[in-house]
Amino acid sequence: MPRPTLFRVLLMERRWDRWNTFCLRFEQAARDIAKEVNAPRLARITVPRRSFDRWAKGDWQGMPRPDTALVLERLFGVPCRDLFSPAPDTVRPQSPMPDRDRLSASLAITESWSTSRLFMSSGEAPGSWEMVGRQALDGTATAVAFRPVTRSGSIAQVDITGADAFDRFLRSASRGFLIGVDERESTAQLFVIDAANARRARAMAPGRSTLDLQAAHVLDDLTYGLLWSLVQFDDGLLADDSTLAQEQQVLDTYLALPRSAPSRLAMPDLTTAGAHWLGSSFCAQHIMRRLDGLSGPPVFWTREQTGEQAAAWLWFQHKLDYLRALSARYAVGTAPMSRAFCIPESAVARSDRYERVLLLLAVTLMELQGIRVDVLADPEYSEMDGFAMIPEQRAVVANWVRTDEIWAVDTVTQRPALRGYREATGEAQAHSVMRGPDPQARLRALAGYLDVDWSWLVVRCRELAACGIASIVRPRSRHLSVEALDEVFHFLGSLAPDR
């Protein structure tokens, strides 16, 4: 007979197997935590009868919602993942509960970003930070440790002394994040750094008990969006590294074809991140080959509508190489390159601010490469193909975003189809939400449309330009780079925040 869960064992041991009895203890624990961390909403958490009955059977193995898990960990004194796993032969004594710093940080993160879930362990062991993809990414999890912060001016001094568990966390080959917690204000302020960077900094200054973090390390919508997109790309591409190397060998065969659209089923081993990287890389090569010999700049249309989809422009090294190659090829001439997006208001409304920030950064990268960007809000054009159009000649179609295939490419010469593409780009140019005579004016207009505070963004980019995103986190995959982001931060940081 399968062993019952630890929750079931502890429930029977404490004689809390009646729903009413359990609820009295659970709700008291919820009120205690709410008072400790000044989070009134926690006091209102309850456990429905149906959930309790399911848990009490002793065979349910899952994870409750983060807030509920937090209260259960307080009530039983063991990590929630252990509560809903088979009980050991001997139940260990209760471990100390996570301290106030970790509770405050966990609540701040889960309240701020719906794609984050934090699972904290007891004692000094690191917790788990789960980052959930929305539509284009698979999600992943990374280790996380919380340490108290003291402030010295704009510098956050993170306590890096600690027990063996903390030392093991810093030395681990797996990715982890160290989060400093400053509780001087009513809402905890958080500072973040990759554990590998923290390990490097501690090795360079042996004997120091604190790690100094600049203001750029604040965990907010800008830094969260970058971490959220990077770790999902990174983990996927590292998992796919060998497969991608093998698939690269067959790309030349596909590139020689006038059209192709391989199904995801043809490469079932790839993660979503790996499939996106391969599709994006192939589409870039397909377009560049078919633009050979063209003297004037083509007109581009791209399908990205969210920050999750657009983040590839910021992290994939081949995307930056592609933009630079286009700029170099068409730098001479009177007509600038242009690229159109269709981003309806409904897509903006569905996106959290960190995603809208990523989208704005991706558009900025194109503008600083000399590409004039137009953003059309009309949803009628949402399903338009991605293409590079050579007026009156042909359109090189290349899709890898929002498609069931790894990529779908073609070359279109039929006049009716070309007329449709021409009308779409004409609408984007005539009705773009990015109006203005220069990149700063256009980007500021886009920030307004996306509801991103322009002054805040410029100041934060200035801070990140001063230290570089690599001081916070570094990609591990050879296919990713911080180069594009550093260019974007320097560019935005040089603009006027209050114009």
Side-chain angles (χ1 to χ4, degrees):
M1 182 176 179
R3 191 183 300 276
T5 61
L6 181 57
F7 178 86
R8 165 75 178 177
V9 171
L10 293 177
L11 203 66
M12 301 304 293
E13 180 183 281
R14 301 180 187 195
R15 299 183 181 180
W16 294 353
D17 53 317
R18 294 171 61 90
W19 177 60
N20 290 339
T21 303
F22 171 80
C23 285
L24 288 174
R25 272 68 178 185
F26 180 91
E27 290 167 13
Q28 182 59 55
R31 289 192 294 270
D32 290 344
I33 298 177
K35 185 176 180 181
E36 286 178 19
V37 299
N38 191 28
R41 66 180 181 81
L42 291 179
R44 298 189 292 272
I45 297 175
T46 60
V47 175
R49 179 67 177 264
R50 183 177 297 178
S51 296
F52 173 78
D53 290 343
R54 184 168 64 249
W55 300 346
K57 287 181 180 178
D59 58 1
W60 186 79
Q61 297 183 26
M63 282 297 295
R65 294 180 180 276
D67 288 347
T68 303
L70 195 65
V71 179
L72 288 171
E73 290 177 350
R74 161 60 64 91
L75 188 60
F76 290 104
V78 294
C80 204
R81 64 170 66 89
D82 294 342
L83 276 177
F84 295 103
S85 297
D89 291 324
T90 302
V91 179
R92 294 176 294 176
Q94 292 186 13
S95 304
M97 274 301 298
D99 55 35
R100 180 184 172 91
D101 288 336
R102 288 191 282 172
L103 286 171
S104 297
S106 174
L107 289 170
I109 290 172
T110 54
E111 286 180 347
S112 298
W113 300 292
S114 61
T115 49
S116 266
R117 298 179 66 186
L118 273 155
F119 302 104
M120 295 188 299
S121 60
S122 302
E124 291 295 324
S128 176
W129 188 359
E130 180 182 340
M131 297 182 188
V132 182
R134 296 176 70 91
Q135 295 176 322
L137 292 172
D138 292 326
T140 190
T142 182
V144 62
F146 302 96
R147 307 292 288 183
V149 158
T150 56
R151 300 295 291 274
S152 176
S154 62
I155 302 297
Q157 297 179 320
V158 184
D159 179 5
I160 55 173
T161 61
D164 291 342
F166 182 65
D167 290 336
R168 288 195 298 273
F169 164 73
L170 290 184
R171 293 197 306 269
S172 173
S174 302
R175 186 185 294 280
F177 288 107
L178 172 61
I179 295 182
V181 186
D182 179 7
E183 287 200 283
R184 292 185 307 168
E185 305 296 334
S186 57
T187 301
Q189 188 171 32
L190 309 179
F191 298 82
V192 63
I193 186 171
D194 192 307
N197 285 1
R199 179 176 68 242
R200 189 178 300 108
R202 191 164 73 162
M204 294 175 64
R208 285 204 60 180
S209 61
T210 60
L211 172 65
D212 291 349
L213 299 184
Q214 304 288 334
H217 288 252
V218 167
L219 184 60
D220 59 7
D221 281 318
L222 176 56
T223 45
Y224 175 76
L226 296 173
L227 300 184
W228 173 79
S229 56
L230 172 61
V231 295
Q232 293 185 80
F233 280 138
D234 225 9
D235 285 359
L237 289 173
L238 287 171
D240 289 341
D241 192 73
S242 177
T243 303
L244 288 173
Q246 295 171 10
E247 295 298 341
Q248 286 281 84
Q249 300 172 12
V250 302
L251 287 192
D252 284 344
T253 301
Y254 280 109
L255 285 169
L257 300 174
R259 64 183 63 86
S260 60
S263 166
R264 284 289 302 271
L265 296 177
M267 303 176 192
D269 293 340
L270 289 179
T271 64
T272 301
H276 283 179
W277 183 90
L278 189 63
S280 170
S281 176
F282 180 85
C283 286
Q285 295 177 63
H286 176 84
I287 290 172
M288 292 301 291
R289 281 197 179 194
R290 280 150 183 80
L291 294 182
D292 284 345
L294 180 66
S295 56
V299 179
F300 293 88
W301 187 283
T302 191
R303 287 171 56 83
E304 290 88 345
Q305 293 184 339
T306 68
E308 184 181 32
Q309 296 161 3
W313 290 98
L314 303 172
W315 291 115
F316 290 179
Q317 179 62 46
H318 72 255
K319 301 291 272 185
L320 179 60
D321 295 340
Y322 168 62
L323 289 177
R324 285 174 172 170
L326 287 171
S327 295
R329 182 179 291 188
Y330 301 113
V332 179
T334 56
M337 278 188 296
S338 65
R339 182 178 287 269
F341 289 73
C342 176
I343 307 175
E345 291 181 3
S346 58
V348 176
R350 288 193 301 267
S351 297
D352 291 336
R353 189 168 78 146
Y354 69 89
E355 267 205 275
R356 288 179 266 125
V357 170
L358 290 174
L359 188 55
L360 181 53
L361 296 181
V363 172
T364 301
L365 177 65
M366 297 170 188
E367 285 275 350
L368 70 87
Q369 294 293 331
I371 301 170
R372 180 190 173 100
V373 177
D374 294 304
V375 172
L376 182 63
D378 188 344
E380 181 181 344
Y381 295 91
S382 287
E383 299 306 317
M384 180 65 64
D385 288 324
F387 61 81
M389 185 175 64
I390 304 160
E392 310 303 330
Q393 295 183 35
R394 62 186 182 275
V396 181
V397 176
N399 297 318
W400 64 274
V401 175
R402 296 189 290 123
T403 179
D404 293 333
E405 293 78 25
I406 297 177
W407 68 74
V409 300
D410 198 357
T411 301
V412 175
T413 57
Q414 296 89 346
R415 289 184 179 276
L418 292 178
R419 188 182 307 115
Y421 294 146
R422 186 168 59 251
E423 289 175 357
T425 57
E427 282 291 303
Q429 292 167 3
H431 302 289
S432 176
V433 303
M434 294 181 63
R435 312 298 293 179
D438 54 54
Q440 177 170 345
R442 292 194 292 273
L443 291 169
R444 184 160 186 165
L446 179 59
Y449 178 68
L450 298 176
D451 194 21
V452 173
D453 186 292
W454 177 257
S455 297
W456 165 81
L457 180 66
V458 170
V459 171
R460 289 291 285 129
C461 286
R462 196 169 292 167
E463 292 170 348
L464 281 160
C467 65
I469 186 63
S471 68
I472 299 176
V473 64
R474 299 167 186 262
R476 296 185 171 199
S477 168
R478 60 197 174 98
H479 300 300
L480 304 176
S481 167
V482 300
E483 194 174 351
L485 277 165
D486 283 340
E487 287 189 14
V488 168
F489 293 145
H490 278 92
F491 180 75
L492 283 175
S494 70
L495 302 180
D498 54 357
R499 173 175 162 182

